[in-house]
Amino acid sequence: MKLLINVSQLKGTVRVPGDKSISHRSIMFGSLAKGQTTIHDILRGEDVLSTMQAFRDLGVDIQDDGDRVTITGVGFDGLKAPQKSLDMGNSGTSIRLISGVLAGQDFSIEMFGDDSLSKRPMDRVTIPLRQMGVEVSGQTERDLPPLTMHGNKKLKPIHYQLPVASAQVKSALIFAALQADGESVIIEKEHTRNHTEDMIVQFGGSIDVNGKEIRITGGQELLGQEVVVPGDISSAAFWLVAGLIVPNAKIRLENVGINETRTGILDVIEAMGGQLSLSDVDDIAKSATITVETSDLHGTEIGGEIIPRLIDELPIIALLATQAEGRTVIRDAEELKVKETDRIQVVADALNAMGANITPTDDGMIIEGKTPLHGASINTFGDHRIGMMTAIAALLVADGEVELDRSEAINTSYPSFFKDLELLTHG
């Protein structure tokens, strides 16, 4: 598709879709709790729909009337062997977290995904699950999907130090530990998003978090709850950056989740001199209205413990850095290589094709700014964040056209993206 280029202003208010991470987990916890769970403002993107269908295939009654999702939970013991393999689509969150859920089930199951998911390593999850007594096999030594699993009703608790900073791996092991006989200890490499830990408490469970050490006891019973999903800061990130780099822009984003493990992009914006303010802060829901406007930006260094707090936002942060004066260095972000694409290389290739000056490194990028952008033909390679990053970059293009191939990938997390873009361009 041809993208809108060279807009003269962006103004207005947007309410971004529900947080993808919380949407996934609300379906999982609702299915694994006893009683009814009602979910409001859930994201109906393709990844979350994959999770929803997987639990329906596992015997859970999930109703969606377009306004709210109602789940009649069955508990861990109420899941049923599906009649077919579970299709995880493009969702790494679905296949990794559900692997932990299925670890304590006494039936065999196969999980598969699309071409992109089939290239993503699952060994970071399968290695510890095998230590807990799960039989699991994948393709090659990295356990690429499809995965074949046979759980164990007598799961052994685990004491495990995560070799990577990954909320998906941590969450998979927490789901498995909830079914183990005894106390498990999981130690994070760096603090990652803590939605799973928060939702255990919300659903009536117990978990002990002390720094990077997590202790959880198996055999707990969870109870259905009412969940209101805040807006996804990863989706809001595209408008945050657009509001900072497009001339004559001022964008107000309502009900954005500001969980402390997810707000690294706000810290980076402030470090680069961006004009940003928070209002309507709700400390209980961990949400706020965020307003940004066109700003003079300067380069910065991004690395260390902040990386897990903004890992999904790094593609759009790379675009932000191309419009900042001076050099920006992103490091310690090797995890980008095992996302929907190798996001280090794909981001660099896409933005360089449009005139940026980005050098990919083994663990990040070196970005020289400020660079004008021009038209190009860009392929998302099925990665939703590459698609949205390119659409925002196109707003700055002064000459040529921007053609985006496989733009449908954006539906993975933000089905109304282009509708919201049109709203902002018309002020």
Side-chain angles (χ1 to χ4, degrees):
M1 68 177 296
K2 286 184 172 61
L3 296 177
L4 183 68
I5 64 167
N6 196 25
V7 300
S8 59
Q9 68 170 31
L10 279 182
K11 294 187 184 297
T13 299
V14 171
R15 194 175 180 95
V16 297
D19 186 286
K20 186 154 76 89
S21 296
I22 296 175
S23 294
H24 277 297
R25 287 161 175 80
S26 64
I27 295 167
M28 295 179 187
F29 277 100
S31 299
L32 299 171
K34 296 290 182 68
Q36 183 170 293
T37 291
T38 304
I39 308 168
H40 304 270
D41 299 330
I42 197 169
L43 169 66
R44 290 173 176 83
E46 291 176 356
D47 278 9
V48 174
L49 295 178
S50 292
T51 290
M52 195 180 297
Q53 187 58 49
F55 278 94
R56 284 176 173 144
D57 291 343
L58 290 164
V60 181
D61 180 17
I62 303 177
Q63 302 296 324
D64 183 359
D65 64 8
D67 180 35
R68 60 185 181 179
V69 173
T70 304
I71 303 175
T72 303
V74 299
F76 282 101
D77 292 335
L79 298 177
K80 306 295 184 185
Q83 300 301 307
K84 58 184 179 180
S85 299
L86 297 183
D87 183 357
M88 301 301 178
N90 187 236
S91 179
T93 301
S94 300
I95 194 170
R96 290 192 175 117
L97 271 63
I98 291 174
S99 292
V101 171
L102 296 175
Q105 302 300 310
D106 189 21
F107 51 75
S108 294
I109 193 165
E110 182 185 71
M111 294 179 286
F112 69 98
D114 65 9
D115 288 345
S116 173
L117 189 66
S118 299
K119 297 173 184 173
R120 298 178 68 179
M122 299 297 145
D123 55 345
R124 53 185 54 190
V125 171
T126 58
I127 288 171
L129 289 183
R130 287 189 185 104
Q131 293 178 23
M132 298 179 76
V134 179
E135 296 177 21
V136 56
S137 61
Q139 316 305 306
T140 79
E141 69 280 358
R142 299 299 308 276
D143 282 335
L144 305 180
L147 290 181
T148 300
M149 290 186 62
H150 192 104
N152 189 336
K153 281 289 189 183
K154 296 184 178 180
L155 277 182
K156 294 180 289 186
I158 192 171
H159 190 291
Y160 192 72
Q161 185 144 4
L162 292 173
V164 294
S166 170
Q168 291 181 0
V169 180
K170 173 182 68 175
S171 297
L173 296 184
I174 288 174
F175 278 123
L178 282 168
Q179 303 169 79
D181 183 16
E183 183 183 69
S184 292
V185 180
I186 302 162
I187 302 169
E188 292 202 81
K189 183 177 181 180
E190 298 287 353
H191 289 292
T192 61
R193 60 189 64 177
N194 62 357
H195 303 306
T196 302
E197 296 95 307
D198 283 353
M199 293 189 88
I200 284 176
V201 176
Q202 181 180 359
F203 278 78
S206 176
I207 186 168
D208 179 35
V209 181
N210 184 10
K212 296 177 183 177
E213 183 180 277
I214 300 166
R215 292 179 176 270
I216 186 161
T217 303
Q220 299 185 44
E221 183 173 285
L222 305 174
L223 301 174
Q225 300 293 319
E226 187 156 357
V227 179
V228 179
V229 181
D232 196 331
I233 196 168
S234 294
S235 296
F238 297 96
W239 307 126
L240 293 175
V241 169
L244 293 167
I245 65 177
V246 172
N248 305 311
K250 186 172 183 178
I251 299 176
R252 185 172 181 267
L253 300 163
E254 294 181 333
N255 187 43
V256 178
I258 54 168
N259 179 295
E260 65 279 3
T261 62
R262 299 285 302 281
T263 52
I265 187 172
L266 303 185
D267 296 342
V268 167
I269 288 170
E270 291 182 353
M272 297 176 78
Q275 296 186 57
L276 176 150
S277 64
L278 270 64
S279 59
D280 304 323
V281 177
D282 186 329
D283 292 328
I284 296 175
K286 296 184 179 180
S287 64
T289 293
I290 307 176
T291 303
V292 290
E293 55 189 299
T294 309
S295 303
D296 293 324
L297 305 166
H298 55 78
T300 190
E301 293 210 4
I302 305 168
E305 63 182 14
I306 197 174
I307 291 295
R309 296 176 55 225
L310 47 63
I311 189 70
D312 287 333
E313 291 74 69
L314 284 173
I316 195 64
I317 288 172
L319 172 61
L320 181 69
T322 70
Q323 302 308 302
E325 295 291 343
R327 172 177 289 182
T328 294
V329 178
I330 299 172
R331 54 180 172 78
D332 304 319
E334 303 95 331
E335 188 72 8
L336 286 175
K337 293 182 176 181
V338 293
K339 293 291 185 177
E340 283 84 338
T341 56
D342 176 349
R343 283 185 178 156
I344 292 177
Q345 193 64 53
V346 173
V347 166
D349 288 348
L351 292 177
N352 285 344
M354 298 178 71
N357 182 0
I358 301 177
T359 302
T361 64
D362 287 343
D363 66 346
M365 310 171 209
I366 300 169
I367 305 164
E368 304 289 352
K370 180 178 181 178
T371 53
L373 301 180
H374 57 69
S377 180
I378 306 297
N379 192 332
T380 68
F381 296 100
D383 189 330
H384 54 125
R385 301 201 194 280
I386 302 302
M388 287 184 280
M389 177 200 74
T390 304
I392 300 303
L395 301 176
L396 300 174
V397 167
D399 64 281
E401 294 182 333
V402 179
E403 184 85 23
L404 185 62
D405 191 31
R406 297 179 67 182
S407 61
E408 68 278 0
I410 291 171
N411 292 329
T412 294
S413 63
Y414 202 154
S416 61
F417 176 81
F418 288 109
K419 180 181 176 182
D420 287 346
L421 176 57
E422 184 177 0
L423 172 74
L424 290 170
T425 56
H426 288 83

